[in-house]
Amino acid sequence: MSKVSPSMTESLLPMPERSKNVVMGNQSFISVLGRSIAGELYKIRRRAMSKVLSTIAIATIILALLFTNWTSSQPLPDAIYMTLSISNFVGSILFIILAGTIVGGEYSVGTIRLMLTRGPTRLQFLLAKLGAMLICVCITIISLIGIGIITWMLLNLPVGHKIDFSFFTGHWIQHTILFILAIMLSLFTYSMLAVCLSSWGKATAAGVTGVLIWWFLENAISGLLALLGSRLQNAFGNFLATVPDYFIDNNLNALRSNQQNYLMGNSAGAINDLHAGIVIIIYLVVFGGLTWWSLKTRDITN
Amino acid sequence: MSETHTPLYDGTPVISTQRLTKAFGNLVAVNDLNLQVMRGDVFGFLGPNGSGKTTTIRMLLGLIHPTAGRAVLFGMDNAYQLPAILQRIGAIVETPTFYPYLSGIDNLRVIAANSGMKLGGTNKARYEEVLDIVELQQYQRLVYRNYSLGMKQRLGIAAALLADPELVMLDEPTNGLDPAGVIEIRKLIQQLAALGKTIFLSSHILSEVQQVCNRVAILRKGNLVKQGDVKELLREKEQVEVRMQREGEVQEALEVLQRVREQEASWINHIAVEQNALRQSIILVDAPSARSADINMLLARHNLFAAELHPREGSLEAVYLQATALPHQFSEAGHIETQKFLNAASDNTKGAIR
């Protein structure tokens, strides 16, 4: 309703009252979007697939902690870092599947027709998907950290190990939060790519396999360009060697590595946070824009 | 037409399309469509497969973008004010599709969230109400993928009615329903119409459309070939059956009627002959039933006397078949076109003379 319609010259039909059993909510853009996000989360919650994926993630964390704790007891912060690293790896795969399914599934089942004839705009439809994904990413990471901590406590406290809270400093909290945010951003970026590809391909498979291919190609091309750069040893070689600095995976890795550097003393990433942040934001804008453009201009004919 | 409802007309167009056109590459699916659906109409949207019905519905609902022209619903252009329009419409487009992993009621909850309705238990009574209307109350907890085709169709209607819309668009709503289900849907449409809802019904079941709709439009290859009041269209298809006292008078009566038709009786559209079950020749005059007496008088003026004169009601099927240029049912039902009959009779006479 943002534009002035040429039909404003025509008489607008007043809307009759609805049945008293129909309770309408606020119709502002944000309220409609909020309800659409709630609808998306409800669908995700009721899917058997979400439950299976969550179980896989939880089981992986518990098994990994069991295994490491069995070999040698580790302090709580290390358990948290390990939980986060596993969450990043397992979560990436699981969220790619979930994101591909919640968008591609709408096309393959045909429910997109149903959703787009109910009132929300195509932009709201897309934002609802992304909003729901973002909320899922946040809830998943926070829950997995909680599960990691509880598992560590169950494995260590009964046998007499105590929690040494000396790590719990302002510095640690700051970098842990940044590390968590970097992992959330990483999961969301791949989810966004899956949303984009499954929307373009109108299928879950397009999103899931597309992201996996992208991932594989980025790594393969990064290695190839680095090799070429070192062989050529000239300006063009230097240029080729810097190209991977603009790849998604390298920038997301850098964001995580830079925090791990503070937390665990690992070596820092070759790319600084500002560069990585800007590159990832550009990717997100491009993926979002492409998805929005395909959705806006496309005829829903399936 | 005994069950035709009385529409709550106020002469206001709810749907108005102006030269609405959609082309997919070189294929023009809908061409220059000017459609008018008034408030309170039960509007039948007819046409053979591939005539552009679903494409039109999709354009009205904003699922596909028109190549040219525009659609105005409730006085708003759907290219600019689609969300406001969709809030006033409940629609089924083709076979209803829902989330297969959700139960019937869970699907309604998701749809409610996307239809501008409040979340939580606020609309519980409404879910129960629409499920009751389509008789799915006892299956509301059943997962959608386990629904039968008829149940899926009924859930589609429940979803369309959920937000109590003023315009209900139903694309083949009786697909997959058993005869009892078809009757239920017919009753439901009549109930909705009685409540003042405007119904836009796309269907292949002409008898159903004839029973429930007050206005129809017929599409052929994307072009609107007929639009109007059902009663008016049926009146155009009324016939008068004439059985002569003697079989030998049929040819003479035909000649008289043909001549009169060409000279003065422009109200006679077409004349044909068919044989009834007793193998008696019946002259079928395409004319309003009110003209029965005139036909009798015309024949009597030439000393020809009908043994029986019966008005025959027009059918939407006849209107549809003629509009969509399909082979006329008369040919298939053992009817003989007038000219062929006259020729055959003339040959027989010649044969007899020889």
Side-chain angles (χ1 to χ4, degrees):
Chain A
M1 290 245 269
S2 54
K3 288 181 250 178
V4 178
S5 153
S7 72
M8 294 308 268
T9 51
E10 294 176 274
S11 58
L12 182 76
L13 282 192
M15 191 155 80
E17 263 187 42
R18 294 181 199 263
S19 153
K20 62 178 172 30
N21 283 341
V22 178
V23 186
M24 300 300 285
N26 190 319
Q27 301 305 316
S28 69
F29 185 91
I30 296 294
S31 300
V32 171
L33 177 60
R35 283 192 296 271
S36 298
I37 291 175
E40 286 301 325
L41 290 172
Y42 187 74
K43 284 188 279 181
I44 291 172
R45 188 160 67 85
R46 302 308 293 256
R47 285 189 99 112
M49 193 189 70
S50 317
K51 289 165 191 154
V52 171
L53 296 179
S54 309
T55 309
I56 292 171
I58 293 167
T60 313
I61 301 278
I62 293 173
L63 286 173
L65 286 171
L66 263 174
F67 181 74
T68 49
N69 210 73
W70 188 32
T71 50
S72 65
S73 179
Q74 56 177 349
L76 180 59
D78 287 0
I80 294 173
Y81 306 146
M82 196 174 80
T83 301
L84 285 169
S85 300
I86 295 169
S87 302
N88 178 55
F89 178 71
V90 178
S92 296
I93 298 167
L94 302 186
F95 272 102
I96 288 166
I97 296 171
L98 188 65
T101 308
I102 68 167
V103 176
E106 298 276 4
Y107 285 99
S108 49
V109 178
T111 40
I112 188 161
R113 215 165 54 207
L114 179 73
M115 289 294 109
L116 293 183
T117 53
R118 303 308 303 192
T121 62
R122 295 185 184 203
L123 178 63
Q124 283 166 328
F125 173 79
L126 172 63
L127 291 177
K129 298 274 181 207
L130 298 179
M133 284 308 304
L134 193 58
I135 290 170
C136 283
V137 165
C138 295
I139 290 173
T140 303
I141 295 298
I142 291 166
S143 306
L144 290 178
I145 293 170
I147 287 165
I149 292 172
I150 290 168
T151 309
W152 182 90
M153 285 163 75
L154 288 173
L155 292 170
N156 288 278
L157 297 185
V159 294
H161 288 126
K162 295 245 162 52
I163 303 173
D164 176 9
F165 281 104
S166 61
F167 70 90
F168 203 69
T169 61
H171 181 262
W172 183 87
I173 292 170
Q174 178 200 336
H175 289 290
T176 303
I177 289 172
L178 287 173
F179 187 37
I180 292 170
L181 288 176
I183 288 172
M184 286 177 177
L185 180 67
S186 173
L187 298 187
F188 182 70
T189 305
Y190 283 116
S191 303
M192 184 84 170
L193 178 57
V195 165
C196 180
L197 295 175
S198 55
S199 179
W200 273 89
K202 294 188 192 178
T204 306
V208 177
T209 52
V211 178
L212 295 177
I213 290 169
W214 182 296
W215 211 350
F216 171 78
L217 284 178
E218 263 200 0
N219 283 301
I221 294 169
S222 287
L224 189 69
L225 291 176
L227 185 70
L228 277 172
S230 63
R231 286 278 170 90
L232 289 172
Q233 298 225 329
N234 56 19
F236 184 62
N238 292 340
F239 166 75
L240 289 180
T242 55
V243 169
D245 289 353
Y246 298 90
F247 286 177
I248 297 176
D249 202 34
N250 292 343
N251 284 283
L252 289 174
N253 271 334
L255 285 173
R256 289 192 305 269
S257 302
N258 292 343
Q259 297 314 314
Q260 281 174 318
N261 174 42
Y262 293 110
L263 293 168
M264 297 174 243
N266 293 0
S267 57
I271 304 168
N272 68 47
D273 286 338
L274 182 65
H275 173 281
I278 290 171
V279 169
I280 294 302
I281 286 170
I282 290 171
Y283 271 111
L284 289 176
V285 169
V286 170
F287 294 151
L290 286 173
T291 314
W292 160 231
W293 186 71
S294 82
L295 196 62
K296 185 179 171 10
T297 54
R298 173 176 286 162
D299 284 341
I300 308 297
T301 52
N302 62 324
Chain B
M1 289 290 286
S2 56
E3 290 180 77
T4 304
H5 81 285
T6 312
L8 301 174
Y9 260 139
D10 64 4
T12 328
V14 169
I15 301 174
S16 171
T17 66
Q18 290 147 29
R19 307 199 67 179
L20 196 65
T21 302
K22 179 65 186 180
F24 296 102
N26 292 329
L27 175 77
V28 181
V30 175
N31 185 28
D32 266 355
L33 183 69
N34 294 308
L35 206 61
Q36 286 261 316
V37 179
M38 306 301 176
R39 178 176 267 179
D41 264 348
V42 179
F43 192 88
F45 198 46
L46 307 171
N49 286 337
S51 59
K53 299 189 300 293
T54 301
T55 302
T56 305
I57 292 175
R58 286 179 168 180
M59 280 194 280
L60 293 175
L61 293 171
L63 286 174
I64 60 178
H65 308 283
T67 311
R70 66 185 195 131
V72 176
L73 292 98
F74 310 105
M76 296 177 276
D77 191 323
N78 80 345
Y80 299 90
Q81 290 155 290
L82 190 61
I85 291 170
L86 292 178
Q87 287 241 322
R88 299 168 74 167
I89 300 177
I92 300 180
V93 189
E94 292 184 308
T95 315
T97 43
F98 293 93
Y99 298 97
Y101 50 89
L102 295 180
S103 66
I105 194 156
D106 283 344
N107 267 298
L108 290 185
R109 285 192 182 112
V110 170
I111 293 161
N114 282 278
S115 302
M117 292 167 74
K118 268 197 173 166
L119 300 174
T122 338
N123 281 298
K124 195 167 176 280
R126 183 60 183 170
Y127 305 146
E128 307 266 324
E129 192 179 17
V130 290
L131 286 168
D132 195 36
I133 290 171
V134 296
E135 295 178 358
L136 277 180
Q137 272 250 351
Q138 65 184 113
Y139 302 107
Q140 58 174 285
R141 304 267 166 216
L142 186 68
V143 175
Y144 177 74
R145 71 165 69 89
N146 296 328
Y147 274 27
S148 69
L149 186 58
M151 287 159 76
K152 288 177 179 175
Q153 202 74 33
R154 296 215 297 269
L155 186 65
I157 293 170
L161 300 179
L162 191 59
D164 192 24
E166 49 186 302
L167 169 62
V168 182
M169 298 178 92
L170 304 171
D171 191 6
E172 304 287 354
T174 51
N175 264 0
L177 295 184
D178 56 21
V182 173
I183 293 167
E184 284 303 314
I185 298 300
R186 187 201 307 157
K187 282 184 185 161
L188 177 63
I189 291 172
Q190 286 164 339
Q191 282 169 16
L192 292 172
L195 289 171
K197 310 276 178 211
T198 306
I199 316 284
F200 188 89
L201 173 69
S202 161
S203 176
H204 280 112
I205 306 176
L206 298 173
S207 57
E208 285 302 315
V209 172
Q210 185 171 337
Q211 284 191 64
V212 297
C213 294
N214 66 305
R215 292 183 68 236
V216 290
I218 302 173
L219 282 188
R220 184 187 59 193
K221 291 182 179 170
N223 293 291
L224 184 67
V225 286
K226 207 102 184 169
Q227 178 171 220
D229 191 282
V230 171
K231 283 181 185 164
E232 291 292 325
L233 294 174
L234 294 183
R235 206 165 290 140
E236 286 173 20
K237 283 287 151 199
E238 279 181 347
Q239 290 178 319
V240 179
E241 293 179 9
V242 184
R243 187 171 70 78
M244 303 307 294
Q245 278 183 340
R246 281 172 294 145
E247 195 69 15
E249 288 177 343
V250 173
Q251 188 195 347
E252 207 178 331
L254 272 175
E255 283 169 352
V256 166
L257 290 172
Q258 283 281 34
R259 201 164 52 241
V260 172
R261 178 185 168 224
E262 281 156 21
Q263 290 168 357
E264 52 182 295
S266 58
W267 42 269
I268 296 177
N269 295 320
H270 186 256
I271 304 163
V273 179
E274 72 171 11
Q275 288 200 320
N276 65 11
L278 301 170
R279 303 198 63 77
Q280 295 168 320
S281 297
I282 305 290
I283 302 170
L284 289 174
V285 184
D286 285 5
S289 53
R291 291 285 189 174
S292 301
D294 294 333
I295 293 169
N296 201 16
M297 201 175 69
L298 284 170
L299 293 171
R301 249 181 8 208
H302 295 82
N303 286 327
L304 294 164
F305 298 99
E308 286 177 76
L309 266 159
H310 284 299
R312 188 191 266 187
E313 272 193 353
S315 75
L316 197 55
E317 195 173 63
V319 176
Y320 176 86
L321 290 172
Q322 191 188 45
T324 54
L326 291 175
H328 202 279
Q329 65 179 112
F330 290 174
S331 329
E332 287 171 17
H335 291 74
I336 307 163
E337 292 298 324
T338 318
Q339 201 52 52
K340 284 184 193 161
F341 181 88
L342 289 173
N343 293 343
S346 158
D347 289 347
N348 287 344
T349 316
K350 282 173 195 167
I353 293 166
R354 260 185 245 124

